[in-house]
Amino acid sequence: MNKSMSYKIFSTFNIVFMGLLLVICLYPFLYMFALSFSSTNAVLAGKVFLYPIEFHLGTYKTIFEYPNFFIAYRNTIFYTVVGTFISLLMMISFAYPLSKTWLKGRNIVMKFVIFSMFFSGGLIPNFLIVSWLGLTDTVFAMLLPFAISQFNLIILMNFVKNLPGSIEEAAIIDGMSYFGILIKIIVPLSKPAIATISLYTAVFFWNDWFYGMIYMSSAQRYPVMLFLRNIMSGASIRGAASGSGSEDKTTIYATLKSGAIILTTVPIIILYPFLQRYFITGLTLGSVKG
Amino acid sequence: MKQGSEGEIQKAGAKNRLVAGKRGSAGKYWQLYGLMLFPVIYFIIFKYVPMFGNILAFRKHKPGLSPFGTEWTGLRYFEMFLKDPSFWRAFLNTFILAITNLIVNFTIPIVFALLLNELTALRYKKIIQTVTYMPRFVSTVVVISMLTEILSPTSGIVNRLLADLYGMDPIFFANEPRYFRILYILTDTWQFTGWTAVIYLAAITSIEKQLYEAAMIDGANRWQQTRFITLPSILSTIMVMFIMKMGYLLGLGFEKVLLLYTPKISVVSDIIDTFVYRVGLVQSNYSYSTAVGLFGGVVGLILVVSANKISKSLTGESLY
């Protein structure tokens, strides 16, 4: 291979540039980490850039003493675990019959599913229906409306559709029921797709703050991201929902905010390296098509 | 599966063939239909009933009464918002933000994928890829919280550097209308570049290696290979992605705009979605904001459908 001088120069620049992007992606987390373990004085004096100055744990102690922090954290774990579980049950049991393109009525159902991706109730009708159903301020408002994501459903359906049909045919000849096939054959074979969509779903539930804000009125049921958002906006109650006065935002120390950021993001940062291979497969698994 | 049911029909004998055939399909498939039951009910209650709830745009809402309104009002709420200057401001802001965001954040992932593809050290490439798409999984709240921390006028690192290096007075970036669009777009770049690039990278890796070998024999340098092999090969992917983005043009990060909200920047940051949120959920003008939301939804639907039509005729690829 003959590589020109200019290409070598480009390559060097490229390697450095990519390294720079790496830093840009990671630095915000590193900075938050450094702030959260520094003393308030060091932060206010503007000494913290990369690593903790005057290392101390007071920030985390203060956050843990917030009465609602652990409640909110526990709520988020609950919403994530139960929400993902309900989602998976619904999506698996829907994706399997939808993957049978020859099934009578399947195409009509599929058309309804796809149409609802492009046109929806919108914010207000959804909100009013949820409160009309009496779900407001109950955990169900956080779990049920989001049970099926059409996008994830289609990923799973395409995966099931592309499984070799011969195993299923053999099972049918052996007299196995469709329930049995789904549980004993389809689910084990679809593990990569199920792993992917459960991760997407779990991340959705973990990251939500907006639906927590509009559907929950008691702080006892707030998800942790809403707790973080309230710390950030300096509002501890729901009253200032539209984003409170910007002046308030400086009244809570930067250390506290960064500590809360680290605590709410840490599960994703820790789990990410282990899970990221599934995220990629999710993107390459079947395109969004009916 | 067909073979299975045919076998059964034959076993059932000639006389009962028709009956068995009917009972066979209904009897066999009831489990499949049964599996659909709860999901279909879910779709009706949580997708289609709210969709029908858009009827509120034409009806008056009374607190505590039906979510579908109490009496017909015709197009009153539409006339109201069409005469409302703050609606038109939100409308204009939506398009400006959406289009500038599209231009910037559509191009960058392509360039990033091409550059990433030039890295020869596989391990390094893998690390860059893994780290750059991690921000996709971070909550919008966290992204905006980190942004406001970094840009904070009192303790933020950017203002400290500006003061130390240039002796500048602190700038309250998050509260200056002229920085809002830049901040919105750059946080999108930070959060989604690596993620979007994965699709282009997949397209690049599926290009046949022989094409490059042949080009090298012909004396093409790396840039010429990129220009005449890589780019044309991924053009259809680029087209499809562009059309999809066009279709979802109005689907801006509503939560992000809401989180960035300050009264001062609302002149540029108020978009249709935040307008609906503010008028509807904050001021409880349900019918009025449903009308605005419905308008936005219909514009969005028209965009998706026409983008898909164009895609079908140009590339043969379509979303549905």
Side-chain angles (χ1 to χ4, degrees), chain A residues 18-267:
Chain A
M18 287 291 155
L20 200 69
L21 292 186
L22 199 73
V23 172
I24 292 173
C25 277
L26 289 177
Y27 180 72
F29 299 106
L30 190 66
Y31 181 56
M32 292 301 121
F33 186 79
L35 283 182
S36 69
F37 282 106
S38 299
S39 74
T40 314
N41 286 335
V43 173
L44 287 180
K47 287 185 201 154
V48 182
F49 289 94
L50 268 179
Y51 46 85
I53 306 283
E54 297 170 25
F55 182 90
H56 86 148
L57 297 165
T59 303
Y60 289 98
K61 198 169 157 269
T62 317
I63 296 174
F64 292 150
E65 280 165 2
Y66 267 80
N68 287 334
F69 176 74
F70 282 111
I71 295 173
Y73 217 93
R74 195 201 61 200
N75 288 343
T76 289
I77 293 172
F78 176 80
Y79 296 144
T80 306
V81 172
V82 180
T84 309
F85 180 73
I86 295 175
S87 270
L88 282 182
L89 275 187
M90 293 283 269
M91 289 198 279
I92 291 171
S93 62
F94 205 14
Y96 178 52
L98 283 182
S99 72
K100 312 241 162 284
T101 41
W102 45 263
L103 189 68
K104 223 177 218 162
R106 176 265 177 197
N107 286 342
I108 297 168
V109 174
M110 200 60 219
K111 283 206 171 77
F112 274 96
V113 169
I114 287 171
F115 182 73
S116 70
M117 277 174 97
F118 301 121
F119 188 72
S120 71
L123 180 64
I124 306 300
N126 271 307
F127 173 80
L128 291 176
I129 298 297
V130 168
S131 42
W132 184 53
L133 293 170
L135 302 180
T136 312
D137 208 25
T138 71
V139 293
F140 299 107
M142 297 297 287
L143 303 173
L144 298 183
F146 316 104
I148 295 183
S149 136
Q150 296 95 325
F151 184 81
N152 289 342
L153 177 70
I154 290 170
I155 288 180
L156 184 61
M157 185 201 71
N158 279 333
F159 190 89
V160 175
K161 204 154 70 178
N162 293 331
L163 290 174
S166 49
I167 307 171
E168 207 183 338
E169 274 167 33
I172 288 177
I173 291 167
D174 287 351
M176 207 188 231
S177 70
Y178 281 109
F179 289 151
I181 293 171
L182 175 60
I183 292 162
K184 292 200 185 106
I185 297 172
I186 303 295
V187 168
L189 286 178
S190 309
K191 258 188 206 151
I194 293 174
T196 307
I197 64 167
S198 19
L199 290 170
Y200 286 137
T201 313
V203 166
F204 166 83
F205 280 110
W206 187 271
N207 286 343
D208 174 69
W209 63 281
F210 181 71
Y211 295 106
M213 180 177 81
I214 66 171
Y215 289 146
M216 296 299 162
S217 44
S218 43
Q220 294 294 309
R221 296 191 185 84
Y222 281 178
V224 78
M225 286 299 165
L226 185 57
F227 172 88
L228 172 62
R229 182 243 171 226
N230 288 344
I231 280 197
M232 292 309 295
S233 64
S236 52
I237 45 161
R238 188 169 174 257
S242 55
S244 69
S246 43
E247 310 78 45
D248 297 336
K249 291 185 182 174
T250 49
T251 54
I252 294 181
Y253 289 131
T255 49
L256 267 184
K257 295 178 186 169
S258 50
I261 290 170
I262 291 295
L263 285 173
T264 53
T265 315
V266 118

Side-chain angles (χ1 to χ4, degrees), chain A residues 7 27 104 112 178 272 280, chain B residues 31 33 48 118 130 133 157:
Chain A
Y7 183 69
Y27 180 72
K104 223 177 218 162
F112 274 96
Y178 281 109
Y272 180 73
I280 273 210
Chain B
Q31 292 189 329
Y33 292 114
Y48 278 86
E118 293 303 314
T130 308
Y133 66 63
I157 184 161

Side-chain angles (χ1 to χ4, degrees), chain B residues 101 140 184 188 250-258 271 273-274:
Chain B
N101 190 39
T140 323
Y184 178 94
D188 253 34
L250 298 186
L252 286 164
F254 152 71
E255 293 189 6
K256 190 155 89 177
V257 179
L258 205 60
I271 56 172
D273 288 345
T274 50

